[in-house]
Amino acid sequence: MGCRLFNLCEYETYKLVRIRSVKLGTLKWTLNGVILMFICFMMLWNKEYQEYDLITSSVTTKVKGVAHTNIPYIGEVVWDVVDYSGHSPERNSFFVATNVIVTKNQKQDKCPEIPPWGLCKAHMDCEKGFSDQHSHGVQTGSCVKYDILRKTCEISAWCPVESQKRPPRPALLASAENFTVLIKNNIRFPAFNYIRRNILPEMKDSDLKGCIYHQFTNPYCPIFRLGDVVHEAKEKFSDMAVEGGVIGIQINWDCDLNRFFHSCLPKYSFRRLDEKESNQTLYPGLSFRFARYFTMNGVEQRTLFKVYGIRFDVMVFGKAGKFSIIQLIIYIGSTLSYYALTNVFIDWLIGTKCYSKKANQNYSEKFESVHDQQECLLCISFVDEEQLRVVKKSQKKSLQETNPIFLHRELKADGILSAKHSDVSAGTPLQEKPRSGYLDWCHCGVCHHSTSLHEQLCCRQSKGRCISTCSLFHVLVLNHSTLETALLYETPLAEQHEEDQLRHEAYAQYIKWRFGEKTPMDAVPVIPSCCLWRIRDQYPSPDGKYSGFNRLVSLGRGLKTQEL
């Protein structure tokens, strides 16, 4: 648990490994070039260098046209804009009547209900005062004859009741496809204080009087023929006119307000908004009723119109963009991370069998564990304790008295040298020896005085015999032939070695014997003062000066010590 919690306090950074390779260099710059082209393309295509503002707009419409039709029971009627487009209070939309059912001369009276509602056989089947959402009036309680075969309940209503259920085919006002509508759209982008309308500044009054919108020949004319609008929505006006429907007129403003690339023009598109299949939709189309009232012989009467038609909804969308250095910097900063894909790909390539083993071996040196000097971890091995201790370097206590932050089961080295002397038992008990009294931190009586706290370390946790007096210490650490053999293992052609080399190899032998090939948590192993000076006495420095054992370096085979 201690190790896992301590690992949370680690920091990872990157180590640079430079591999000189024409193939890898070419691949790196090729991938970087592709990424650069992609970034530039997306910046220009999506105009990522601009800041944007959304549109606010208003729409007004004016419909023009006259239709001549022959309505049953009425005769020839001329419909103008008040008749076919005067009943649409919706915002940003207009309505055009295309079909109609007329019921003439209705007055307040009593008449039979229209089947299938209110069917009856006797008066008891009719309830006086009853009505529901399907009724055309209020029942009187009488059952009267409707036709030769059926009877229905009598109602008080506007009589005669509207009896025609389906609209005429073809539509009575199909000529409405030749009507025109002028759409006036005023827009504003508040962030840029920019105002514009779809009637462009270069248009004159004479131009508007003679123009009709066409997708290719006249795409900016604000006057539309209704038949063309329905056709652009991929519908047939004569079919849609029978039951009516809803058409969307979309105006899209995609504006570039930069000085050299200024462009702000409307783009029109059309589509049907309601479901057009009458056999798959309940209550298809669009219709409503209105009446015209009059008085005849002192009796108020009315003519009821059920009007079918097409509602045109004008929907405005848009945004405006203008160059912004802040947006450009944000985009560049956000896309720089794309270049990491090159490193990820090449790192993967080197780490697999797709590339040379030599490059893979050099690449493995990229990962190295180091410690912050402010929180250096040290590893201690006491001869009378079966666990390795990991401690923090203290500025107040001697290393002997520093409390461990982690205890690890001791692992003994089982290399060539120790196996060679396997006849010497590493578990030989050490006979206790009275401690000297002048060093508080020494328990073996052999340690040397030191003013450095991290060098105040004994080989024992409790008083007893020093490990440096053990025969195995002499065989593995001090023996000249053993050290020569270890050095020749690394440099076979060397003729002889200096005292410094033998001393450093003795340090390494002691560490491998007491700590193993690797210390827990990559802590730096520390040699006790008694053993350190026993080695120095055996292999002294020519000038008698020692800088102290400070760090470990990796030299290909295990751990190697170095004095600084």
Side-chain angles (χ1 to χ4, degrees):
M1 177 61 72
C3 180
R4 295 179 182 176
L5 292 176
F6 187 79
N7 288 342
L8 297 177
C9 300
E10 293 181 347
Y11 169 74
E12 292 183 357
T13 186
Y14 294 98
K15 177 182 178 181
L16 180 63
V17 176
R18 180 172 296 170
I19 302 177
R20 300 185 182 276
S21 170
V22 176
K23 293 181 180 179
L24 291 181
T26 303
L27 178 61
K28 181 190 75 171
W29 289 112
T30 301
L31 293 177
N32 287 342
V34 172
I35 292 174
L36 178 61
M37 289 190 293
F38 174 78
I39 292 174
C40 295
F41 175 78
M42 295 304 297
M43 181 183 67
L44 298 176
W45 181 263
N46 294 327
K47 299 180 180 179
E48 297 289 350
Y49 51 85
Q50 293 184 341
E51 62 174 326
Y52 292 95
D53 186 29
L54 297 179
I55 194 171
T56 58
S57 73
S58 65
V59 174
T60 58
T61 61
K62 183 183 292 186
V63 182
K64 288 187 177 181
V66 177
H68 178 271
T69 183
N70 191 348
I71 299 177
Y73 310 111
I74 294 182
E76 294 185 355
V77 178
V78 175
W79 290 60
D80 61 12
V81 65
V82 178
D83 297 317
Y84 56 70
S85 188
H87 309 280
S88 179
E90 292 88 352
R91 180 174 176 267
N92 292 350
S93 66
F94 61 94
F95 178 85
V96 175
T98 57
N99 209 355
V100 64
I101 297 175
V102 180
T103 305
K104 290 184 62 179
N105 301 327
Q106 285 186 325
K107 61 182 180 179
Q108 292 286 334
D109 201 353
K110 297 178 181 179
C111 54
E113 178 63 282
I114 301 297
W117 318 114
L119 292 173
C120 64
K121 294 182 179 180
H123 295 310
M124 65 180 64
D125 296 330
C126 300
E127 180 182 352
K128 185 176 181 179
F130 174 79
S131 66
D132 59 18
Q133 67 269 26
H134 301 295
S135 301
H136 292 87
V138 179
Q139 294 183 10
T140 63
S142 300
C143 183
V144 297
K145 185 176 181 180
Y146 176 76
D147 56 23
I148 299 176
L149 300 177
R150 295 175 293 179
K151 290 183 178 182
T152 60
C153 293
E154 186 182 56
I155 59 173
S156 294
W158 285 94
C159 299
V161 177
E162 179 185 87
S163 58
Q164 186 175 347
K165 300 300 181 182
R166 296 188 176 276
R169 288 179 181 272
L172 299 179
L173 299 173
S175 59
E177 66 177 328
N178 295 316
F179 295 172
T180 60
V181 58
L182 169 64
I183 299 178
K184 293 183 288 183
N185 179 209
N186 296 278
I187 66 167
R188 184 172 183 267
F189 296 103
F192 307 124
N193 195 25
Y194 184 83
I195 300 175
R196 196 171 180 84
R197 59 190 303 204
N198 66 329
I199 301 177
L200 304 181
E202 59 269 18
M203 290 183 176
K204 300 179 181 179
D205 184 62
S206 57
D207 297 332
L208 291 178
K209 289 182 178 179
C211 79
I212 295 292
Y213 170 85
H214 189 275
Q215 182 179 3
F216 302 107
T217 60
N218 208 349
Y220 303 118
C221 178
I223 300 176
F224 302 83
R225 180 178 173 271
L226 300 187
D228 296 338
V229 171
V230 176
H231 177 73
E232 290 289 340
K234 297 181 174 54
E235 298 291 337
K236 191 174 181 181
F237 192 93
S238 58
D239 293 339
M240 192 173 182
V242 175
E243 294 181 323
V246 182
I247 293 291
I249 301 176
Q250 299 174 336
I251 307 177
N252 185 42
W253 295 84
D254 188 6
C255 298
D256 189 339
L257 303 185
N258 293 300
R259 179 178 300 178
F260 299 105
F261 303 99
H262 186 278
S263 175
C264 193
L265 297 172
K267 183 178 181 181
Y268 301 96
S269 59
F270 314 91
R271 57 173 298 182
R272 183 166 185 171
L273 302 180
D274 66 316
E275 176 58 58
K276 65 180 180 179
E277 299 295 337
S278 60
N279 60 340
Q280 298 179 5
T281 307
L282 294 175
Y283 309 109
L286 178 64
S287 64
F288 66 93
R289 292 178 175 85
F290 73 94
R292 293 174 180 173
Y293 294 86
F294 60 94
T295 302
M296 181 177 291
N297 297 327
V299 179
E300 184 181 32
Q301 297 187 21
R302 74 178 187 182
T303 300
L304 179 65
F305 296 86
K306 183 178 182 181
V307 179
Y308 297 85
I310 303 174
R311 191 182 75 201
F312 295 86
D313 293 339
V314 183
M315 298 170 287
V316 183
F317 307 92
K319 64 178 181 178
K322 198 171 184 179
F323 176 79
S324 171
I325 187 64
I326 296 177
Q327 293 298 322
L328 179 61
I329 293 174
I330 292 175
Y331 175 76
I332 294 176
S334 64
T335 54
L336 288 178
S337 59
Y338 293 171
Y339 287 103
L341 297 175
T342 299
N343 295 337
V344 171
F345 177 76
I346 296 180
D347 287 354
W348 171 83
L349 185 65
I350 296 175
T352 61
K353 296 181 180 179
C354 300
Y355 206 69
S356 65
K357 294 182 178 180
K358 184 176 181 181
N360 193 354
Q361 181 179 359
N362 294 332
Y363 181 75
S364 63
E365 299 177 1
K366 179 177 180 180
F367 303 98
E368 178 182 359
S369 297
V370 296
H371 292 286
D372 188 357
Q373 292 182 356
Q374 299 298 327
E375 293 188 356
C376 180
L377 295 183
L378 305 177
C379 189
I380 299 172
S381 174
F382 292 118
V383 69
D384 54 349
E385 191 174 74
E386 295 183 356
Q387 293 178 317
L388 296 178
R389 293 189 174 198
V390 177
V391 300
K392 286 185 179 180
K393 183 178 179 181
S394 175
Q395 303 296 332
K396 298 180 179 180
K397 294 182 179 180
S398 66
L399 200 55
Q400 183 76 18
E401 300 172 348
T402 304
N403 296 324
I405 62 173
F406 178 67
L407 296 174
H408 181 72
R409 183 174 61 86
E410 188 174 1
L411 298 176
K412 302 299 182 183
D414 54 355
I416 298 176
L417 294 178
S418 59
K420 178 181 177 181
H421 302 280
S422 59
D423 57 315
V424 181
S425 174
T428 303
L430 299 177
Q431 297 178 359
E432 292 189 356
K433 175 181 178 181
R435 54 172 291 187
S436 60
Y438 70 97
L439 293 178
D440 294 339
W441 50 270
C442 178
H443 298 282
C444 67
V446 184
C447 298
H448 286 221
H449 174 75
S450 175
T451 58
S452 176
L453 292 177
H454 71 275
E455 291 182 359
Q456 294 179 5
L457 178 66
C458 182
C459 65
R460 301 183 61 85
Q461 179 65 14
S462 59
K463 64 179 182 177
R465 181 183 173 189
C466 181
I467 191 175
S468 64
T469 62
C470 174
S471 60
L472 189 58
F473 181 88
H474 181 271
V475 172
L476 293 178
V477 179
L478 300 180
N479 186 274
H480 189 278
S481 62
T482 300
L483 300 179
E484 285 285 355
T485 302
L487 290 172
L488 288 173
Y489 183 83
E490 298 175 5
T491 54
L493 299 181
E495 296 182 359
Q496 64 180 11
H497 297 91
E498 299 177 353
E499 295 291 317
D500 288 347
Q501 292 176 299
L502 295 173
R503 184 172 66 257
H504 295 161
E505 186 62 31
Y507 293 154
Q509 286 297 105
Y510 179 86
I511 290 173
K512 289 188 64 178
W513 174 37
R514 297 303 303 163
F515 297 93
E517 293 289 341
K518 185 177 181 181
T519 60
M521 301 172 64
D522 294 326
V524 178
V526 181
I527 301 177
S529 173
C530 50
C531 300
L532 187 67
W533 282 101
R534 181 67 184 88
I535 295 173
R536 290 174 178 176
D537 291 341
Q538 184 73 19
Y539 302 102
S541 173
D543 56 3
K545 296 180 179 180
Y546 305 94
S547 58
F549 172 65
N550 291 322
R551 70 184 180 99
L552 300 174
V553 293
S554 175
L555 296 178
R557 181 186 67 85
L559 297 174
K560 182 77 174 179
T561 63
Q562 184 177 21
E563 279 183 322
L564 300 177

